[in-house]
């Protein structure tokens, strides 16, 4: 991921910065965004992705860029927030991520740990994003259906 300044506007003591954000993945997919950052807020102004992002992926996009944006502005994100992918090299997307999710989920079940937390840790996704990944992995047949009893 790369983040670089676009421009900055100062108004008295306050300033707003615009930053370019670019994520490039090994499979050739790219996400480019323009984000504005002020005192205590971040706004994603524009996002262009090839191939297009699903709405769920767009929601997770904020998690991917929060940490790198904070660092680009000279601040550190709160612990456990917006790690910008420190748990993984790239977000597991589509079918390529499903085996990763299935392995993490099953390993946690075997250890008696919370499988959702294991997927969150493995992927860097929020709880909601991890649940979506688990659902997609189930739909793909890599995890047993939720109603199945062991």
């Amino acid at each position: 991921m790369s983040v670089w300044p676009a421009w900055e506007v100062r108004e008295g003591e306050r300033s707003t910065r615009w930053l370019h954000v670019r994520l490039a993945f090994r499979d050739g997919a790219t996400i480019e965004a323009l984000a504005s950052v002020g005192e205590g807020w971040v706004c994603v102004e524009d996002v262009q992705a090839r191939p297009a992002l699903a709405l769920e992926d767009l929601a997770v996009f904020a998690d991917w860029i929060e940490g790198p944006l904070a660092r680009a502005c000279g601040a550190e994100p709160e612990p456990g927030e917006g790690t910008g992918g420190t748990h993984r090299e790239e977000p597991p997307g589509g079918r390529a991520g499903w085996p990763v999710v299935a392995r993490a989920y099953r390993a946690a079940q075997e250890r008696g740990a919370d499988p959702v937390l294991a997927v969150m840790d493995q992927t860097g996704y929020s709880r909601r994003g991890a649940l979506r990944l688990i659902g997609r992995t189930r739909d793909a047949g890599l995890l047993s259906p939720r109603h199945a009893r062991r």
Side-chain angles (χ1 to χ4, degrees):
M1 176 184 313
S2 56
V3 177
W4 66 96
W7 64 89
E8 182 173 354
V9 175
R10 291 191 179 273
E11 189 175 324
E13 300 271 325
R14 297 176 23 199
S15 69
T16 302
R17 301 163 104 188
W18 280 263
L19 302 156
H20 291 287
V21 180
R22 178 173 170 70
L23 286 89
F25 303 97
R26 286 186 222 133
D27 65 359
T30 60
I31 304 172
E32 296 186 22
L34 179 64
S36 58
V37 180
E39 293 179 26
W41 56 268
V42 174
C43 180
V44 177
E45 303 283 343
D46 182 45
V47 177
Q48 295 180 2
R50 286 181 184 68
L53 291 174
L55 284 176
E56 298 89 27
D57 296 330
L58 188 57
V60 175
F61 177 69
D63 294 336
W64 298 340
I65 67 171
E66 184 179 5
L69 282 176
R71 286 186 287 281
C73 294
E76 284 298 317
E78 294 294 319
E81 290 183 7
T83 58
T86 57
H87 295 287
R88 58 183 168 7
E89 292 181 26
E90 64 182 57
R95 294 183 178 125
W98 295 339
V100 173
V101 171
R103 280 193 298 274
Y105 190 95
R106 282 193 209 101
Q109 277 185 325
E110 290 171 8
R111 290 190 319 268
D114 183 346
V116 177
L117 288 177
V119 171
M120 290 170 60
D121 186 50
Q122 180 67 36
T123 64
Y125 277 53
S126 66
R127 182 168 193 82
R128 191 166 72 183
L131 288 168
R132 283 190 185 117
L133 282 173
I134 292 166
R136 289 181 181 161
T137 305
R138 274 198 175 96
D139 292 345
L142 297 174
L143 289 173
S144 61
R146 208 179 342 211
H147 63 275
R149 301 259 178 194
R150 294 182 135 214

